[in-house]
Amino acid sequence: MDDKEIIDPVFCLRGLQEAGTLACATRAADGSPRVRFVAGLHFELDAVYLLASRGMPFARQLLADPRLQLLGTVRKGVYVRLTGEAHPVPEEEQVRWRLRIFQERPYYRELYPPYKHDDSLVFAVRDGYFQYLDLVSMPIQRVYVPFGGGTVPFSGYRIGETCARCGSCRPACPENCIETGDPVFRIRQENCLQCGACAEACPRGAIERVGD
C-alpha cells in the first residue's frame, strides 16, 4: 500500500469497481455457505447495487437472509471485501437501477432481454463495513472502514490483563507487530496476520481470539 493512499469508503468502492467480477458469499436455507461470481453491479457513494434473477437461488437466498460479503481482487495479493446486507430497492426504483446496470454491463441485455426484464431483481447494500487487505506489503496491511451507517466489529487477537510481559509472543509473530507496553503488550491490529501464533506461544494464555 502506498503511504499516500487513504483507505476510506471511496477508495474501497473504487477497488471493488475496478475488480469487475466479484465473489459473493451468501447462506442457503440450510445455513450452508454459497459463493458465486457476480458482475451485474453498479456502484454509488452510498450503495452498491446488484442484479439477480428472481428465480435463481441467489435472489431467494438474499430475500430469506440479506447478509452477504462481496470480495474483489484489486491486484495480486491485495483485496477489498464488503460485509453488509442486501435488500431489494423499492419497486418504483427497480427499473431505474436495472437499466443503469444494463447500460454498464451491455452483455446483461442478452441475459435479460426486454420481455424478461421483470424476471430480475435489484438489491442494494447501503450499510456495512469494508476490509482492505494487502498481503504484499511488509508487514501486511489490514484496514477496516465503516460504510454508510455500518459499524466495524472487532475481529482478531487481543492481549489481556494477565499478560506478564515475558515477551514469548514477540518472536512467534511473523509480522513483528507486537509491541511492548505498560501494563501489557499490544498487537498492532493493522499489521496482524491473525494467524494465532502469538496465542500459541503465550505461556499464560493471555492472548485470546475475539470475533470470527
Side-chain angles (χ1 to χ4, degrees), residues 142 156-159 166-178 187 191-209:
R142 185 192 304 272
Y157 286 87
R158 182 177 289 163
I159 301 177
C166 67
S168 298
C169 56
R170 297 190 71 192
C173 177
E175 300 299 312
N176 297 315
C177 68
I178 299 178
I187 300 173
N191 303 130
C192 179
L193 193 59
Q194 299 185 3
C195 64
C198 57
E200 295 179 3
C202 179
R204 297 175 65 90
I207 303 177
E208 63 174 348
R209 172 80 195 189

Side-chain angles (χ1 to χ4, degrees), residues 107-198:
Y107 55 90
Y108 263 64
R109 296 173 187 169
E110 301 298 325
L111 294 174
Y112 298 96
Y115 64 90
K116 286 191 174 182
H117 280 188
D118 290 341
D119 291 347
S120 60
L121 190 62
V122 179
F123 295 80
V125 183
R126 300 185 183 278
D127 302 312
Y129 63 93
F130 293 102
Q131 179 186 169
Y132 170 87
L133 181 61
D134 181 350
L135 297 175
V136 179
S137 298
M138 294 297 293
I140 66 111
Q141 300 290 322
R142 185 192 304 272
V143 182
Y144 292 96
V145 181
F147 177 55
T151 58
V152 180
F154 180 83
S155 178
Y157 286 87
R158 182 177 289 163
I159 301 177
E161 297 180 356
T162 57
C163 169
R165 304 177 70 221
C166 67
S168 298
C169 56
R170 297 190 71 192
C173 177
E175 300 299 312
N176 297 315
C177 68
I178 299 178
E179 301 175 337
T180 58
D182 187 12
V184 299
F185 282 18
R186 185 183 77 88
I187 300 173
R188 292 196 313 274
Q189 298 297 333
E190 66 272 20
N191 303 130
C192 179
L193 193 59
Q194 299 185 3
C195 64
C198 57

